[in-house]
Every structure is written in structure tokens, then in C-alpha cells.
Amino acid sequence: MTYRSLAELEDAQDDERRAARMRIEAAEQYIGHYRSRIDQVREAFYRLGAHEGVGDDPGFRQELQRVSDAAGENVAYAGRRIGELEEEYDAMLREHDELRDRFLADRNNTD
């Protein structure tokens, strides 16, 4: 895209950075909500199991652990994905700097 001014370029870059940060923050909030909700569900199942007298049953504990492990894997995967988004964000910032530098160089060459 061709920008008519440095301000126009920087405004577009600001919008792009803001949108990317919002995606990252939304993902982080989702993970926090997911983790909190899983903890609530796990605690509720444990209380129910204890109430029903199966809290110490190896099968019950094994299944509860399986669910906990799956949730942990989901959180770890999401954390890795957020890390990738952060890396993409950093690359975008470098690209923005390069584009800004090229814009200024082109502008100085045409003056």
C-alpha cells in the first residue's frame, strides 16, 4: 500500500499493532478463564466424588487425573500458541520499522 504521509503510515501501523495486541490479550484472557473454569469443574467433581464416597476410588482418581492432564495439555498448547503470536508481533514491529525507514528514505530521495 502506498501512503501519502508519514502520519498516515504510522496511523496504519498503530491500528495494526493495536489489533494484534488485542488478539494476544484476548487469547491470554481466554486461557485464564479456561484454567479457572477447569479448576472449578475439577473441584466440583472431587466434591461430588467425596460426597458419593468414591473420592478415594482409584478409578475415579485416575479419571480425574486424566481430565486434569488433558486440561493441562490444552493450556500448554494455548500458551505455546500465544508465544507464537508474540513472536509474530515482534516480527511485525521489525517490519514496521523497516517500512517506516524505507518510506523516509524514499521521501528524502524524491525531495
Side-chain angles (χ1 to χ4, degrees):
M1 176 170 208
T2 303
Y3 297 97
R4 294 173 293 198
S5 68
L6 180 59
E8 187 177 293
L9 169 64
E10 289 175 337
D11 285 346
Q13 289 178 338
D14 287 345
D15 290 345
E16 191 176 355
R17 282 192 297 269
R18 193 173 13 265
R21 285 298 332 155
M22 286 176 63
R23 285 190 299 272
I24 292 168
E25 289 168 8
E28 289 170 340
Q29 288 175 354
Y30 177 80
I31 290 173
H33 176 73
Y34 175 82
R35 185 180 288 136
S36 173
R37 189 68 183 122
I38 287 297
D39 288 345
Q40 290 171 352
V41 169
R42 189 174 31 232
E43 289 171 11
F45 278 136
Y46 185 77
R47 281 193 308 273
L48 178 63
H51 178 70
E52 296 295 321
V54 295
D56 293 328
D57 179 74
F60 175 79
R61 287 189 168 276
Q62 181 180 2
E63 196 58 28
L64 190 58
Q65 186 61 49
R66 185 188 66 75
V67 170
S68 296
D69 291 346
E73 289 172 17
N74 289 340
V75 169
Y77 172 79
R80 287 190 303 273
R81 184 63 186 118
I82 288 175
E84 292 169 7
L85 290 174
E86 291 281 358
E87 289 173 10
E88 291 170 9
Y89 180 79
D90 291 342
M92 180 186 65
L93 294 179
R94 288 189 299 277
E95 187 178 306
H96 284 181
D97 288 343
E98 291 169 8
L99 183 58
R100 184 179 186 279
D101 291 345
R102 281 195 309 270
F103 179 88
L104 290 171
D106 290 346
R107 193 163 132 185
N108 288 336
N109 290 336
T110 58
D111 287 343

